[in-house]
Amino acid sequence: MKTGLVLEGGAMRGLFTAGVIDVLMENGITFDGAVGVSAGACFGCNYKSGQNGRVIRYNLRFCRNKHYCSIWSLIFTGNMFGAKFCYHTIPDKLDLFDYKTFSENPMEFFVVCTDVITGKPIYKRMKTACFTELEWLRASASMPLASEIVSIDGRKLLDGGISDSIPLRFMEKNGYEKNVVILTQPRGYMKKQGKSSAIIRTVYREYPEFVKSCINRPEMYNNQLKYIAKAEKEGRAFVIAPPEKLPVGHIEHNPDVMLEVYRTGRKTAFKSLEKLLKFRKLC
């Protein structure tokens, strides 16, 4: 029976996920495959490379660097999170990503992007984390209005969370019968329509299907939560979620807040560990 790991996005809420997956790695818990969306992909790839602690380390180091995340970066590069600095300079020079371990680890790792032309999700399996594959990672986390459209292999891509925020169905369709789902919103959360709808309609007017996906995202997301709850009740999924709303937004420059979110992830993982191990035994 194949086991999978599903990682929701949520920008800096993903530090909760980082805390959870570090505890899972420390306890030798492995999976046959994983899928990450946005921050879930950017931070989750460190699971496949076996780099416990790397996510919180480089976020604390660079959280106040204008090249990492800033209005300055948005104005001068078109991306709130610097494309070159975040996805190439850091992993290649400043906090080395273990490409060798990533490529040799047999765990399948997928990232989700949204095709701007069709408004539909695109699923990319990352095998080597080469330059092009890291661009897929960047596309998955490229939030509308805060990022440029990423062009790869003839496709125009943005944030995977727009079209498939919590891809449990994708994993099940690919043969992963038992899945651990890490959410970055507390249980009971329901997504509401955001205030940026009018701006999105204007900025992306050339891409009506993408606009439609953005507008319909709350309905899609809330339906996914219902599906996950059903899967959990039926024993097909094990859910780890924050105990309450995390004190962090899409952007965060305060290292103390980052550490708080990360430590909440660790505490939640430790509390869930016994039940998770029982769930794993049934796989």
Side-chain angles (χ1 to χ4, degrees):
M1 183 179 293
K2 292 170 68 177
T3 59
L5 179 64
V6 180
L7 306 173
E8 182 186 4
M12 299 316 291
R13 293 199 312 273
L15 290 172
F16 171 85
T17 300
V20 173
I21 63 177
D22 279 357
V23 170
L24 300 187
M25 282 192 277
E26 289 162 11
N27 284 273
I29 297 174
T30 60
F31 298 88
D32 298 304
V35 60
V37 182
S38 192
C42 294
F43 297 165
C45 65
N46 293 278
Y47 205 114
K48 183 172 168 65
S49 66
Q51 292 179 274
N52 184 359
R54 180 174 179 268
V55 175
I56 188 61
R57 182 176 65 238
Y58 75 71
N59 272 281
L60 292 178
R61 180 180 175 187
F62 300 113
C63 64
R64 289 176 173 160
N65 187 312
K66 67 180 182 180
H67 298 285
Y68 182 63
C69 175
S70 66
I71 297 297
W72 178 93
S73 178
L74 178 62
I75 293 171
F76 288 99
T77 73
N79 296 284
M80 183 75 75
F81 288 86
K84 181 179 179 182
F85 188 80
C86 293
Y87 297 95
H88 302 292
T89 302
I90 289 178
D92 289 345
K93 298 178 180 180
L94 302 178
D95 195 315
L96 302 183
F97 185 72
D98 191 340
Y99 295 99
K100 185 175 185 292
T101 298
F102 184 94
S103 62
E104 292 178 352
N105 187 337
M107 182 182 79
E108 293 185 318
F109 188 79
F110 302 91
V111 301
V112 186
C113 301
T114 299
D115 188 309
V116 174
I117 303 297
T118 66
K120 302 296 183 183
I122 302 292
Y123 306 92
K124 170 68 176 179
R125 182 183 173 188
M126 290 181 62
K127 297 180 180 180
T128 64
C130 64
F131 183 94
T132 301
E133 290 189 344
L134 287 177
E135 286 293 280
W136 279 90
L137 201 67
R138 176 166 77 91
S140 179
S142 290
M143 298 179 290
L145 304 179
S147 311
E148 293 182 320
I149 293 173
V150 182
S151 296
I152 310 174
D153 299 336
R155 297 182 183 276
K156 294 183 176 183
L157 306 169
L158 279 174
D159 187 353
I162 299 299
S163 55
D164 193 351
S165 298
I166 318 169
L168 175 59
R169 284 188 178 92
F170 166 79
M171 291 298 278
E172 291 181 337
K173 288 179 181 177
N174 281 273
Y176 292 90
E177 299 176 65
K178 294 281 187 174
N179 292 278
V180 173
V181 181
I182 302 179
L183 303 178
T184 58
Q185 295 284 11
R187 292 177 182 272
Y189 170 81
M190 296 291 283
K191 186 174 288 295
K192 299 178 181 179
Q193 193 62 256
K195 299 178 181 179
S196 61
S197 299
I199 301 175
I200 286 175
R201 289 180 189 274
T202 300
V203 173
Y204 299 105
R205 59 186 176 277
E206 296 180 22
Y207 308 105
E209 294 303 317
F210 178 73
V211 171
K212 187 184 299 182
S213 293
C214 290
I215 301 303
N216 294 336
R217 187 183 182 192
E219 180 181 2
M220 175 272 295
Y221 183 91
N222 294 332
N223 284 336
Q224 287 188 328
L225 290 179
K226 292 177 183 178
Y227 183 83
I228 290 166
K230 183 173 184 292
E232 183 179 32
K233 185 176 181 180
E234 295 174 352
R236 294 183 285 113
F238 185 91
V239 178
I240 299 176
E244 57 188 13
K245 183 176 176 60
L246 296 169
V248 67
H250 285 90
I251 300 169
E252 183 56 63
H253 300 295
N254 187 331
D256 293 331
V257 174
M258 288 182 160
L259 272 173
E260 180 183 352
V261 174
Y262 172 76
R263 288 168 177 164
T264 298
R266 290 187 62 87
K267 291 177 183 177
T268 305
F270 277 121
K271 289 181 180 179
S272 304
L273 202 54
E274 185 176 348
K275 291 182 180 180
L276 174 58
L277 292 174
K278 289 180 180 179
F279 174 79
R280 296 273 297 179
K281 288 181 180 180
L282 298 176
C283 298

